[in-house]
Structure formats: C-alpha cells, structure tokens
C-alpha cells in the first residue's frame, strides 16, 4: 500500500514539473491505436520554442515548411527595332548618260575621281563612290543611292558644261550649211566636235580640242593641202601623228596630251583629236583637196 502511494505521489510530482498526463486503467482504453498495451503513465515533453514562437526543426519530430517564394516569370525579350530599309539606288554600274557625267564631275571636284567624265558608270566610278561612302560612314556599296547623292550635292557645286565633257563626248550640234555638200571635215567649236561628212551624210564624229586664246584656231572654209602620217612639229618639236593641214601650220591631228588631260590643256592652233584609232581611220579616208569648215 505504501509502494502504491509512493508511485502515485511520484507521478503527481512529474505532472507538476513536465505537464504530463497520468492515465490509469479504467480511465481510457489502456492501449495505443494499434491495439498494443500502453504504459499507464504517458509523459509529453513540451517542445522548446524559438523566440518567434516556432519550433526548431528536429526537436519535436516535425519541421515547419519554409514559405514558398514567388517564382519570377521571365519577361519576354524586348523586340529589337527593325533595321531601316536601304536608301533607293539612283545610279549603279552599267548606267550611262548625262546624269552619270554630273556624278563623275562632282567626284572629280573633291578628288575622288581623276578620270573622265566619260558618262559611263564603270568600275573606276564604282570604286570612287565606295571610297566616298566609306569616308563618311555610309555603307560602301559603290552604288549611288539617295543618301550618297544628297551628301555629294552638299559638298560640291554644279559642274559647268565643259566639266561634264572634259574628255570630249558631247553630242555634235547641227552641221553648218556649208558642210552639207561634198566631202567635208565639219568642225564645230560650240560643241567641240568634228564630223566627217560626205554629201550631207555624217560618216563619223569625234571630240576635238582647239587652240588657246593666245593661239586660236582660225574659223572659215579651207581645204586639206597636205597629209603627213608621222609628222613632228618643227616649231614646237612635238609629235603630230596623222596630220591633215588646212591653214598654214594648223592641222587636224592626234594629240597624246589631249588624250591624257582632256580640255585642261589646249593646242597652238591645231584641231586636236584624242581618239587615235578614230583619226587613223579618218586619215585613210580624207583626201587632199577635201573641204574643211571651222565654225561656231
């Protein structure tokens, strides 16, 4: 009896200290939920709580699941701006005409082209345009587009008539009425051209250059009085191939200087031709006694 009273007293003391629940037979089923006998004394040790009121993991057999952080949804990449469409092309390799002459003359003014103008958009012109574009941060296409053209216009002046035809090539004007009969070398100072005409029909046309103000080419009607295939000037000691003399020491002949420099130079009164093949053919066709008309 004393042992029983001592056990009860011990249980009561534990209850006061730990907060245990004392279960005696007859007050509960006396078995666990799985049917096994349970000790009449069941002690629950209170869990140590953290300062925030949460039980630390591993003390009571359970853990508090961490709060789920919101998952950032990746935003769609910003659409890159569409590249600007290329500027429309005005002129490109293979084109020809007066507009190409103006392009070439303007390129000459700022040192990007040293030949011509020829009126033909050739490889040399394409290379000059590409160089001009690259210097100014434009796409080096070699084609003249609207942006390239506007930039070139802003840096140059409008070329004069003879800048456009620095190396010849201007269309011949209407022939002088005195050229419409017979065999005639019809030479036009206004358009700087020579027509070889037979009975009013133009056989060939070529660019020519005349004398300077100090030594002008005479105007009027003349005749070819002498032909000299390999002539050399005795006055200036310069070659005058395919010379056809018509007035004193003035003759129609090939000029290497005209072929090289165009209208940047001038003769001592002769009519210079820059196309050697053309004048060689003309030399074979013209006869002594044929008429020569030099006019404005």
């Amino acid at each position: 009896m004393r042992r029983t009273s001592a056990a009860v007293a011990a249980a009561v003391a534990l209850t006061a200290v730990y907060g245990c629940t004392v279960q005696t037979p007859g007050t509960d089923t006396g078995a666990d939920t799985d049917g096994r006998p349970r000790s009449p004394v069941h002690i629950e040790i209170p869990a140590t709580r953290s300062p925030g009121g949460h039980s630390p993991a591993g003390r009571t057999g359970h853990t508090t699941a961490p709060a789920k952080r919101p998952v950032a949804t990746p935003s769609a990449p910003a659409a890159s701006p569409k590249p600007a469409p290329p500027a429309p092309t005005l002129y490109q390799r293979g084109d020809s005409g007066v507009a190409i002459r103006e392009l070439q003359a303007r390129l000459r003014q700022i040192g990007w082209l040293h030949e011509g103008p020829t009126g033909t958009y050739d490889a040399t012109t394409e290379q000059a345009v590409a160089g001009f574009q690259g210097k100014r941060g434009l796409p080096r296409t070699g084609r003249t587009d609207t942006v390239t053209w506007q930039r070139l216009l802003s840096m140059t002046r409008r070329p004069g008539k003879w800048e456009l035809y620095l190396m010849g090539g201007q269309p011949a004007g209407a022939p002088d009425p005195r050229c419409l009969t017979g065999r005639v070398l019809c030479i036009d100072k206004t358009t700087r051209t020579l027509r070889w005409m037979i009975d009013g029909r133009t056989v060939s046309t070529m660019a020519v250059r005349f004398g300077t103000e100090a030594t002008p080419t005479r105007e009027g009607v003349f005749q070819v009085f002498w032909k000299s295939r390999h002539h050399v000037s005795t006055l200036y000691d310069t070659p005058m191939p395919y010379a056809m003399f018509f007035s004193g020491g003035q003759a129609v002949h090939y000029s290497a200087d005209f072929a090289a420099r165009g209208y940047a130079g001038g003769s001592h009164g002769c009519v210079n031709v820059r196309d050697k093949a053309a004048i060689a053919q003309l030399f074979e066709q013209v006869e002594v006694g044929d008429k020569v008309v030099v006019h404005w």
Side-chain angles (χ1 to χ4, degrees):
M1 183 68 182
R2 287 182 180 178
R3 292 182 179 177
T4 303
S5 298
V8 171
V12 171
L14 290 173
T15 302
V17 175
Y18 295 108
C20 300
T21 301
V22 179
Q23 295 180 343
T24 56
T27 59
D28 201 350
T29 58
D32 289 327
T33 55
D34 56 358
R36 292 178 297 179
R38 187 170 55 180
S39 171
V41 180
H42 179 65
I43 301 173
E44 292 183 354
I45 301 175
T48 304
R49 296 184 177 273
S50 65
H54 301 287
S55 298
R59 290 293 182 88
T60 60
H62 5 187
T63 58
T64 303
K68 293 184 178 179
R69 295 182 180 178
V71 179
T73 304
S75 58
S80 57
K82 294 182 179 180
T89 297
L90 297 176
Y91 316 116
Q92 59 187 342
R93 189 169 180 174
D95 291 343
S96 61
V98 177
I100 307 305
R101 286 184 178 275
E102 181 177 352
L103 168 66
Q104 293 168 330
R106 289 180 182 272
L107 289 170
R108 280 179 59 87
Q109 289 177 13
I110 55 177
W112 280 104
L113 195 64
H114 303 286
E115 300 178 2
T118 63
T120 300
Y121 205 121
D122 53 12
T124 302
T125 304
E126 186 177 62
Q127 184 177 2
V129 170
F132 174 83
Q133 291 169 328
K135 183 71 173 180
R136 280 142 193 91
L138 303 175
R140 294 174 58 95
T141 63
R143 299 186 299 273
T144 303
D145 54 39
T146 53
V147 175
T148 301
W149 179 244
Q150 288 301 320
R151 185 68 62 87
L152 184 61
L153 289 180
S154 68
M155 298 177 61
T156 56
R157 56 177 171 75
R158 185 169 184 173
K161 180 179 180 181
W162 298 121
E163 282 184 275
L164 297 176
Y165 296 93
L166 185 61
M167 303 304 291
Q170 184 178 358
D176 185 281
R178 294 170 292 181
C179 300
L180 298 179
T181 57
R183 296 163 57 90
V184 188
L185 289 173
C186 190
I187 301 169
D188 187 350
K189 282 189 169 183
T190 302
T191 60
R192 296 184 179 184
T193 55
L194 180 155
R195 288 176 182 261
W196 168 231
M197 303 183 67
I198 299 177
D199 297 331
R201 177 178 61 89
T202 299
V203 179
S204 60
T205 304
M206 57 198 72
V208 292
R209 184 178 73 172
F210 304 102
T212 64
E213 291 184 4
T215 55
T217 302
R218 291 182 282 272
E219 298 100 36
V221 179
F222 312 93
Q223 286 185 332
V224 176
F225 65 86
W226 182 34
K227 294 172 61 180
S228 178
R229 185 185 299 272
H230 303 293
H231 192 77
V232 177
S233 172
T234 57
L235 184 60
Y236 301 105
D237 194 28
T238 55
M240 298 170 55
Y242 307 106
M244 293 171 280
F245 290 88
F246 62 88
S247 177
Q250 295 187 354
V252 177
H253 68 85
Y254 170 73
S255 168
D257 182 75
F258 183 25
R261 298 198 299 149
Y263 292 106
S267 73
H268 294 96
C270 290
V271 178
N272 293 161
V273 178
R274 66 182 297 264
D275 189 333
K276 194 171 186 179
I279 194 171
Q281 186 176 17
L282 180 64
F283 186 87
E284 298 300 326
Q285 297 174 9
V286 173
E287 299 173 358
V288 172
D290 287 343
K291 187 164 51 175
V292 178
V293 177
V294 181
H295 68 94
W296 284 100

